[in-house]
């Protein structure tokens, strides 16, 4: 199938989609030196070990080892096939693909998930049309207007209304050639106890839930009559997993990256009101408590999260749980307090977006400030026993802080609160940290340089010939002329099996008239281990003006290893012959000589 797309067009699509721009849609990247660094989207981490090089158009994670080009990234991140990755990037860059290729892609996309995705997209437009024009949606329109949402916001979020009927939605989908049984299986539609297929959102205002690619994958329904339950989400499916998604994430993430901050709400209306008021970096959980997966997703994009939940007891308790979770994944947590126990939507309607931003978001408490006040609710601080219990709890919390400055600041605050010596409290904090093995302070958390990452990962010392081969291949990947030179001097006579495979493919790549391009070259490879090895070698820093003496030196080291191994093979053969002749003294002498050569090889 891929052969139907001209290779030249694939190259054009790759070149038109800068890898830094594409990966930045998934990870917050920061430039350090010549490369960009961020938190790896493929494994959980708190310190950035994920590197992207714009010059070579490849990525590599020094933590989990994954690497590749822009196509590989999408295949890993989205679960795309190569064909789907090409199609996605072609749409992104405005390239037209051959008609026969698109027809084959479309026919291969007739999976349950693809059909479900198409049905959700169509229903989004259908519900929105009903909301905007149908007479039966007048109550829904009035409700949304009374909530203060403008036509622009309604259009932006494609707010809709599901007809209060068992047939209208299903008949609409049947006319569009959907198989209703398939839609029941994928949870787009529901089946009643009487075996009737119906729309579970019927009679409700509908808010589309989009994934990070801005595709609708589910709906949130809100009843405006006596219909129960009042709030109803689409059930979980392969496309819609509430614990892995965030409401409005597709629209908010560019603003999140720009501001370095996310504002986390509980409800959809809070998001609508804030977005309408010009505060765009706003997201919400999907009617469930925030999961570790969601927290890690937020952390990949921003350093700071402002939690802005309702001010009632339920909201405060939920804030405590979420704050702990976000802190665990490495976020800087702040907690907004809304006066008069208002929710964010009500505050914005009453006082406007400007005051909400200045008096609520910008005035938010630090994580520790919130924790100190939160735990006060559990104790009567006029009672001595409660004072001691409270202080012990707060000292435990202070001991978890990585910054010595932060610990000192809150130790002094607690000391002042209870008229105690800061030194005594600090001593308790230090003892707790020693027991936990947390004696080192976390300095320079925002350093994402290649040097720091490599220092944090113990590297196995490789023999000289192994390093020589890696360096030589790095130069061959960078310079076609060097590859031609090595082809005529060494050919594929490398010592490491993976390296033999790499250079064999590389020679063929250059013979086809290609110029040095790692991102293009790895598409020729179909073994993930070999691709990983190429990426790791390509990420190594090299000098652009390498001398012929340096290249010759690498060749010499590689050949020397081959010569030594050849000698060992000959000695082993002689040793076996001596043993067959029962000349055990000679066999022992040869054995000693083999051991001497092997020891020298290890020391090289």
């Amino acid at each position: 199938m891929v052969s139907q797309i001209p290779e030249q067009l694939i190259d054009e699509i790759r070149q038109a989609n800068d890898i830094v721009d594409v990966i930045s849609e998934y990870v917050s990247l920061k430039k350090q030196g010549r490369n960009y660094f961020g938190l790896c989207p493929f494994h959980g981490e708190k310190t950035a070990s994920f590197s992207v090089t714009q010059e070579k158009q490849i990525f590599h994670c020094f933590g989990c080892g994954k690497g590749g080009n822009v196509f590989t990234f999408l295949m890993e991140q989205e679960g795309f096939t190569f064909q789907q990755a090409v199609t996605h990037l072609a749409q992104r860059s405005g390239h037209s693909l051959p008609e026969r290729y698109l027809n084959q892609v479309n026919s291969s996309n007739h999976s349950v998930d693809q059909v479900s995705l198409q049905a959700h997209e169509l229903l989004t437009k259908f519900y929105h049309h009903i909301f905007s024009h149908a007479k039966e949606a007048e109550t829904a329109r009035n409700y949304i207007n009374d909530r203060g949402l403008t036509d622009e916001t309604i259009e932006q979020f494609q707010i809709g209304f599901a007809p209060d009927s068992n047939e209208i939605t299903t008949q609409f989908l049947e006319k569009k050639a959907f198989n209703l049984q398939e839609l029941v299986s994928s949870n787009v539609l529901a089946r009643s106890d009487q075996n009737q297929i119906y729309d579970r959102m019927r009679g409700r205002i509908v808010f589309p839930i989009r994934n990070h690619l801005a595709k609708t994958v589910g709906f949130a329904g809100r009843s405006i009559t006596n219909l129960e339950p009042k709030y109803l989400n689409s059930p979980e499916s392969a496309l819609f997993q509430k614990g892995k998604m965030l409401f409005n994430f597709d629209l908010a993430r560019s603003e999140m990256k720009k501001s370095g901050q996310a504002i986390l709400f509980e409800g959809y209306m809070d998001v609508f009101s804030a977005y309408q008021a010009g505060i765009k970096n706003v997201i919400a959980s999907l009617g469930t408590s925030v999961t570790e997966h969601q927290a890690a997703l937020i952390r990949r994009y921003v350093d700071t999260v402002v939690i802005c939940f309702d001010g009632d007891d339920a909201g405060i308790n939920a804030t405590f749980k979420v704050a702990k979770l976000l802190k665990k994944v490495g976020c800087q947590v702040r907690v907004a307090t809304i006066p008069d126990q208002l929710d964010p939507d009500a505050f914005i309607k009453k006082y406007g977006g400007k005051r909400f931003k200045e008096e609520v978001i910008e005035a938010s408490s630090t994580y520790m400030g919130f924790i100190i006040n939160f735990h006060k609710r559990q104790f009567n601080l006029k009672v001595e026993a409660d004072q001691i219990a409270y202080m012990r709890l707060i000292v435990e919390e202070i001991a978890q802080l990585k910054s010595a400055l932060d610990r000192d600041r809150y130790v002094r605050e607690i000391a002042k609160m209870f008229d105690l010596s800061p030194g005594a409290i600090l001593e308790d904090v230090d003892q707790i940290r020693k027991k936990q093995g947390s004696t080192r302070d976390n300095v320079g958390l925002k350093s994402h340089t290649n040097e720091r990452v490599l220092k944090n990962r113990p590297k196995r010392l490789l023999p000289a010939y192994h390093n020589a081969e890696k360096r030589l291949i790095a130069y061959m990947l960078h310079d076609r002329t060097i590859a031609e030179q090595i082809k005529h001097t060494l050919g594929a006579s490398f010592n490491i099996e993976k390296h033999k495979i790499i250079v064999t493919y590389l020679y063929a790549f250059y013979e086809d008239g290609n110029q040095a391009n790692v991102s293009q070259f790895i598409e020729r490879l179909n073994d993930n281990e070999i691709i990983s090895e190429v990426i790791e070698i390509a990420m190594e820093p090299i000098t652009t003006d390498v001398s012929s003496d340096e290249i010759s030196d690498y060749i010499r080291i590689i050949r020397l290893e081959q010569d030594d191994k050849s000698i060992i093979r000959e000695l082993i053969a002689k040793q076996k012959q001596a043993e067959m002749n029962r000349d055990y003294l000679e066999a022992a002498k040869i054995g000693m000589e083999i051991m001497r050569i092997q020891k020298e090889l290890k020391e090289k």
Side-chain angles (χ1 to χ4, degrees):
M1 188 184 295
V2 181
S3 61
Q4 293 175 359
I5 305 180
E7 196 168 315
Q8 183 182 348
L9 181 54
I10 292 176
D11 291 344
E12 286 177 16
I13 292 168
R14 187 195 316 101
Q15 291 165 16
N17 288 274
D18 184 274
I19 194 166
V20 172
D21 293 339
V22 173
I23 292 181
S24 289
E25 293 175 9
Y26 298 85
V27 180
S28 181
L29 296 174
K30 296 173 184 177
K31 192 169 187 182
Q32 296 288 337
R34 298 174 72 173
N35 292 349
Y36 292 79
F37 285 85
L39 295 174
C40 179
F42 306 122
H43 80 286
E45 61 178 9
K46 294 183 182 178
T47 304
S49 62
F50 183 81
S51 176
V52 184
T53 164
Q54 197 163 37
E55 178 188 358
K56 298 173 184 174
Q57 289 292 300
I58 56 176
F59 72 91
H60 177 67
C61 176
F62 294 98
C64 67
K66 289 190 185 293
N69 62 10
V70 69
F71 295 128
T72 317
F73 178 82
L74 287 175
M75 289 164 71
E76 287 282 354
Q77 181 66 21
E78 297 292 350
F80 287 165
T81 62
F82 180 76
Q83 296 93 324
Q84 289 171 326
V86 171
T87 305
H88 177 82
L89 290 175
Q91 292 170 348
R92 186 180 182 276
S93 56
H95 282 81
S96 298
L97 294 176
E99 191 66 35
R100 58 180 179 170
Y101 170 81
L102 285 174
N103 290 338
Q104 284 190 315
V105 169
N106 289 336
S107 64
S108 69
N109 279 347
H110 190 74
S111 65
V112 172
D113 288 350
Q114 289 297 325
V115 170
S116 175
L117 201 59
Q118 291 160 13
H120 277 106
E121 288 293 304
L122 195 61
L123 283 174
T124 298
K125 295 173 184 175
F126 173 69
Y127 291 149
H128 183 62
H129 179 82
I130 296 292
F131 177 88
S132 302
H133 303 288
K135 186 176 181 181
E136 69 169 304
E138 188 173 354
T139 304
R141 288 194 294 272
N142 291 337
Y143 172 83
I144 290 296
N145 290 332
D146 289 344
R147 295 298 298 261
L149 298 188
T150 63
D151 290 344
E152 185 181 354
T153 301
I154 293 166
E155 185 68 29
Q156 173 83 69
F157 291 95
Q158 288 287 289
I159 294 171
F161 180 77
D164 191 8
S165 160
N166 285 334
E167 293 86 23
I168 294 178
T169 303
T170 53
Q171 287 174 0
F172 168 76
L173 290 168
E174 276 188 310
K175 286 178 183 177
K176 296 295 181 180
F178 284 95
N179 183 314
L180 298 188
Q181 302 291 343
E182 283 185 6
L183 298 185
V184 170
S185 299
S186 58
N187 282 333
V188 178
L189 296 175
R191 189 189 299 276
S192 70
D193 294 337
Q194 290 74 41
N195 208 33
Q196 182 180 23
I197 296 174
Y198 68 98
D199 179 7
R200 61 172 53 83
M201 292 293 157
R202 63 188 180 187
R204 288 178 169 83
I205 294 174
V206 176
F207 307 123
I209 299 170
R210 302 178 302 274
N211 65 13
H212 58 286
L213 296 175
K215 302 292 185 184
T216 303
V217 293
F219 297 103
R222 208 273 188 201
S223 170
I224 50 173
T225 60
N226 294 326
L227 198 62
E228 292 293 337
K230 186 176 180 180
Y231 298 101
L232 179 68
N233 274 349
S234 293
E236 297 250 328
S237 67
L239 292 175
F240 179 50
Q241 297 177 48
K242 290 182 282 189
K244 295 183 177 181
M245 299 174 63
L246 293 157
F247 187 74
N248 195 48
F249 186 71
D250 61 311
L251 293 178
R253 63 179 176 175
S254 60
E255 194 63 34
M256 285 164 56
K257 286 191 293 183
K258 194 186 301 180
S259 64
Q261 181 185 84
I263 300 170
L264 180 63
F265 291 131
E266 279 184 292
Y268 307 138
M269 288 305 300
D270 299 330
V271 170
F272 298 148
S273 293
Y275 204 91
Q276 183 171 285
I279 304 167
K280 310 280 188 181
N281 56 330
V282 288
I283 51 179
S285 59
L286 293 167
T288 57
S289 56
V290 175
T291 65
E292 191 160 345
H293 190 286
Q294 290 169 321
L297 176 62
I298 296 169
R299 177 65 187 92
R300 289 213 308 267
Y301 285 82
V302 295
D303 293 325
T304 304
V305 183
V306 180
I307 304 169
C308 191
F309 288 1
D310 294 352
D312 56 13
D313 285 346
I316 292 169
N317 289 329
T319 297
F320 175 74
K321 291 178 183 176
V322 174
K324 284 280 186 183
L325 187 55
L326 289 168
K327 194 73 176 171
K328 180 183 174 184
V329 299
C331 291
Q332 297 294 316
V333 179
R334 298 186 68 85
V335 178
T337 303
I338 305 176
D340 305 323
Q341 290 197 337
L342 293 173
D343 59 40
D345 172 48
F347 186 96
I348 292 169
K349 282 183 177 57
K350 189 171 183 179
Y351 300 110
K354 187 172 183 291
R355 283 188 62 179
F356 178 76
K357 191 172 182 180
E358 292 173 354
E359 298 176 20
V360 177
I361 301 303
E362 292 176 1
S364 55
S365 306
T366 62
Y367 167 81
M368 199 62 210
F370 166 75
I371 292 294
I372 287 171
N373 287 321
F374 175 82
H375 284 308
K376 280 181 183 176
R377 300 158 70 244
Q378 304 171 43
F379 299 96
N380 179 358
L381 295 184
K382 293 179 181 179
V383 176
E384 184 181 2
D386 276 17
Q387 287 181 8
I388 293 169
Y390 172 75
M391 279 190 289
R392 283 177 179 161
L393 192 57
I394 298 302
V395 166
E396 289 276 356
E397 293 281 2
I398 293 173
Q400 308 307 315
L401 299 176
K402 291 181 171 66
S403 165
L405 290 175
D406 288 345
R407 293 196 298 273
D408 184 69
R409 185 217 185 285
Y410 292 109
V411 162
R412 291 178 185 278
E413 185 174 326
I414 297 301
K416 186 177 179 181
M417 189 186 299
F418 294 102
D419 195 23
L420 295 170
S421 160
I425 299 174
L426 194 56
E427 189 176 330
D428 274 4
V429 168
D430 289 341
Q431 284 178 358
I432 292 168
R433 286 177 63 77
K434 282 176 185 175
K435 284 180 185 177
Q436 295 173 341
S438 307
T439 53
R440 291 184 62 190
D441 294 324
N442 200 349
V443 180
L445 277 175
K446 294 190 179 181
S447 172
H448 304 304
T449 63
N450 200 354
E451 182 185 1
R452 174 190 168 94
V453 170
L454 290 173
K455 258 194 262 183
N456 285 344
R457 294 184 71 239
K459 291 191 73 174
R460 183 169 59 90
L461 289 175
L462 298 172
Y465 73 89
H466 196 144
N467 285 323
E469 290 187 3
K470 290 183 74 171
R471 295 291 293 172
L472 200 52
I473 293 172
Y475 283 115
M476 292 167 70
L477 289 166
H478 178 73
D479 191 325
R480 178 176 172 170
T481 308
I482 293 174
E484 285 294 323
Q485 177 190 342
I486 302 306
K487 180 183 172 183
H488 294 297
T489 52
L490 273 179
S493 297
F494 284 64
N495 294 286
I496 306 299
E497 196 61 37
K498 284 182 184 177
H499 296 169
K500 290 179 183 178
I501 296 169
I502 290 168
V503 297
T504 302
Y505 275 105
L506 191 58
Y507 295 148
F509 177 73
Y510 286 139
E511 280 174 8
D512 287 346
N514 296 299
Q515 296 303 312
N517 186 326
V518 180
S519 180
Q520 183 182 0
F521 170 60
I522 61 174
E523 285 167 24
R524 295 284 188 99
L525 311 174
N526 52 20
D527 185 291
N528 288 334
E529 280 191 29
I530 300 297
I531 291 171
S532 256
E533 185 77 9
V534 171
I535 294 297
E536 188 175 325
I537 291 171
M539 293 296 286
E540 291 287 337
I542 57 172
T543 55
T544 52
D545 54 346
V546 61
S547 67
S548 57
D549 286 345
E550 185 178 340
I551 296 295
S552 297
D553 203 34
Y554 293 142
I555 294 171
R556 180 186 61 77
I557 294 169
I558 293 166
R559 280 179 168 167
L560 189 62
E561 171 67 13
Q562 291 168 352
D563 292 343
D564 287 335
K565 284 183 176 177
S566 178
I567 292 169
I568 289 173
R569 282 194 297 270
E570 288 178 14
L571 288 172
I572 289 171
K574 286 180 180 179
Q575 186 184 37
K576 285 181 179 177
Q577 187 61 48
E579 288 171 349
M580 287 174 66
N581 296 336
R582 299 191 176 185
D583 189 349
Y584 298 116
L585 182 61
E586 180 64 19
K589 285 180 182 178
I590 294 171
M592 294 296 289
E593 180 65 10
I594 292 170
M595 288 174 63
R596 184 188 65 77
I597 295 172
Q598 288 175 332
K599 185 180 178 183
E600 286 179 359
L601 285 175
K602 286 181 181 178
E603 291 172 352
K604 283 181 182 179

